[in-house]
Amino acid sequence: MSNPVGRVPETTSYGSRIGMTEDSLSILEQSRGCEDPWEMGETKPNVEALERGMPGVYLSCFDMLLTEDATWLVKVSEASSALALPMNRVEPREEPEQCPVIDSQEQGISPGLEGQEEERSLEQVQSMVVGEVLKDIETACKLLNITPDPIEWNTGNVQKWLLWTEHLYRLPHAGKAFQELTGKDLCAMSEEEFRQRSPQCGDTLHAHLDIWKSAAWMKERFSIGETKTTGSEELWSEADSSCSGQPIHLWQFLRELLLKPHNYGRCIRWLNKEKGIFKIEDSAHVARLWGQRKNRPAMNYDKLSRSIRQYYKKGIIRKPDVSQRLVYQFVHPV
DNA sequence: AACAAGGAGTTTT
DNA sequence: AAAACTCCTTGTT
């Protein structure tokens, strides 16, 4: 009944959207319904567990981090649970929260709101896991002198990556089976094709390539999406209304969510950021978040949307020219 | 059933 | 007093 994540959208509409490959679409069906094994009491991810390759842990979490399209990972979670894969080998871990993405609404926590707390620690876990993965990839790229995006690899890069991955996870050598393949070729290959070339570890390699692919995808999406020239710091400070004394307004809150697609991309996202058009993907979830923020347990989308409608005549939010369900538009986009 | 648009009274800050 | 909250009616997708 009670699921630890607090939100497992049953919607099947994910995926028929933006840049999904056919492959990832085909995997989509299996993507939902993986349990979330984190214990929410903890604020830190259990790195040891990750390193020992606790089945399913790492990737089902990773899956939640991605906004919508990157469903390759789910497939991966099966593959990787089969053979315990260690993560984070590359360097000692001593960095608790360097990730700017984490969360910024720590100001107005009224005690007694476990749900809120829960939601936040989940975000932190998510952000940290993603941060770790991205960092590991970055490190590997530096060492190997290759780009993070597999699609750009030439045959030499592919061989380097193979060697690296084999070494990292103590796999038998399979480089030969993948000779003369470019990164592009590699990315186009199914898990089955991987297995054909390397029966022993094709699935593992395919799984790891998927991680790289999703990392590259996220990187690209988040960097063009919101970081124009800014690094990433004042992005939050400006957008974060938790530090500005007065009670937060609904439109501000919505903006906050929209600025953190890695945390909330599943329940609210931009359709057109320039025009300020956004879509609420999971109305119940957004309403719950709003209720938590305002300490209104009885909040629902019916009431939330009524408040949004009050913005119509105030000229803060309106319906877009072509009215669509659950789609609104900021009158003054930033 | 879920969303949309508003009216109208109440509550919170 | 402003801004939401709440409840409700009517109409649409």
Side-chain angles (χ1 to χ4, degrees):
Chain A
M1 288 295 158
S2 72
N3 103 49
V5 190
R7 56 161 137 144
V8 174
E10 314 291 38
T11 338
T12 49
S13 66
Y14 290 149
S16 54
R17 292 198 284 267
I18 356 186
M20 278 194 84
T21 66
E22 278 72 25
D23 294 24
S24 38
L25 269 173
S26 67
I27 303 169
L28 191 59
E29 279 61 41
Q30 313 162 27
S31 70
R32 304 293 140 206
C34 28
E35 275 303 320
D36 174 69
W38 295 99
E39 291 176 54
M40 289 329 295
E42 298 189 40
T43 3
K44 286 190 261 185
N46 188 342
V47 177
E48 282 182 12
L50 285 179
E51 285 188 325
R52 263 184 262 114
M54 183 177 273
V57 167
Y58 161 63
L59 282 157
S60 51
C61 281
F62 206 125
D63 169 56
M64 301 191 306
L65 302 164
L66 302 166
T67 48
E68 54 250 342
D69 319 16
T71 32
W72 317 283
L73 292 166
V74 184
K75 185 70 169 228
V76 178
S77 75
E78 287 149 25
S80 36
S81 54
L83 21 163
L85 79 164
M87 298 302 299
N88 303 312
R89 269 257 164 310
V90 202
E91 58 184 60
R93 43 197 55 279
E94 296 297 339
E95 355 60 16
E97 32 217 279
Q98 84 295 19
C99 186
V101 193
I102 290 192
D103 185 29
S104 31
Q105 26 178 277
E106 64 292 285
Q107 205 82 141
I109 318 166
S110 25
L113 289 181
E114 336 71 34
Q116 196 169 354
E117 200 92 54
E118 201 173 279
E119 196 88 33
R120 287 180 183 181
S121 57
L122 177 63
E123 286 168 29
Q124 294 197 354
V125 171
Q126 292 175 343
S127 299
M128 286 180 76
V129 175
V130 166
E132 292 301 325
V133 172
L134 291 177
K135 213 171 54 197
D136 287 351
I137 287 180
E138 212 170 299
T139 311
C141 285
K142 274 182 199 151
L143 278 161
L144 302 173
N145 191 28
I146 61 177
T147 65
D149 192 347
I151 215 102
E152 297 169 20
W153 295 344
N154 60 28
T155 54
N157 297 152
V158 169
Q159 290 300 312
K160 280 192 202 169
W161 175 79
L162 280 169
L163 273 169
W164 170 256
T165 309
E166 289 161 2
H167 165 256
L168 215 55
Y169 305 110
R170 317 238 144 74
L171 304 171
H173 289 298
K176 222 161 170 209
F178 296 89
Q179 244 162 11
E180 97 279 341
L181 285 177
T182 67
K184 209 170 178 179
D185 300 330
L186 221 55
C187 290
M189 283 167 60
S190 67
E191 187 182 344
E192 192 47 47
E193 289 172 282
F194 263 82
R195 247 197 300 263
Q196 276 167 16
R197 291 185 185 251
S198 170
Q200 300 125 320
C201 55
D203 48 356
T204 312
L205 289 171
H206 180 258
H208 281 288
L209 184 67
D210 268 346
I211 294 178
W212 282 65
K213 274 155 77 177
S214 4
W217 173 82
M218 289 177 70
K219 231 177 177 171
E220 188 203 5
R221 204 177 139 131
F222 294 145
S223 58
I224 55 175
E226 45 208 61
T227 352
K228 274 231 153 105
T229 50
T230 65
S232 53
E233 293 126 275
E234 80 254 31
L235 232 167
W236 308 123
S237 53
E238 182 211 352
D240 209 327
S241 20
S242 53
C243 36
S244 71
Q246 293 304 318
I248 187 173
H249 289 198
L250 177 55
W251 63 270
Q252 294 177 305
F253 176 75
L254 294 174
R255 252 204 228 288
E256 270 186 24
L257 299 190
L258 284 160
L259 284 169
K260 299 173 186 172
H262 29 298
N263 289 331
Y264 302 110
R266 284 209 156 138
C267 60
I268 183 170
R269 69 187 179 93
W270 292 114
L271 290 187
N272 184 331
K273 194 177 181 188
E274 287 65 44
K275 292 186 180 171
I277 301 175
F278 62 96
K279 172 161 187 177
I280 294 173
E281 300 281 2
D282 185 340
S283 59
H285 189 200
V286 173
R288 208 184 71 238
L289 292 169
W290 175 234
Q292 281 167 6
R293 174 63 75 88
K294 291 294 293 295
N295 196 13
R296 290 279 148 158
M299 182 51 60
N300 57 26
Y301 180 70
D302 183 47
K303 291 184 263 193
L304 183 150
S305 64
R306 182 70 192 91
S307 293
I308 292 181
R309 270 177 255 125
Q310 303 279 41
Y311 288 146
Y312 291 174
K313 68 175 171 205
K314 294 186 188 173
I316 297 172
I317 288 178
R318 67 183 184 89
K319 269 298 198 181
D321 296 324
V322 280
S323 180
Q324 293 166 258
R325 296 191 123 203
L326 297 166
V327 176
Y328 298 91
Q329 176 170 17
F330 285 104
V331 176
H332 303 295
V334 201

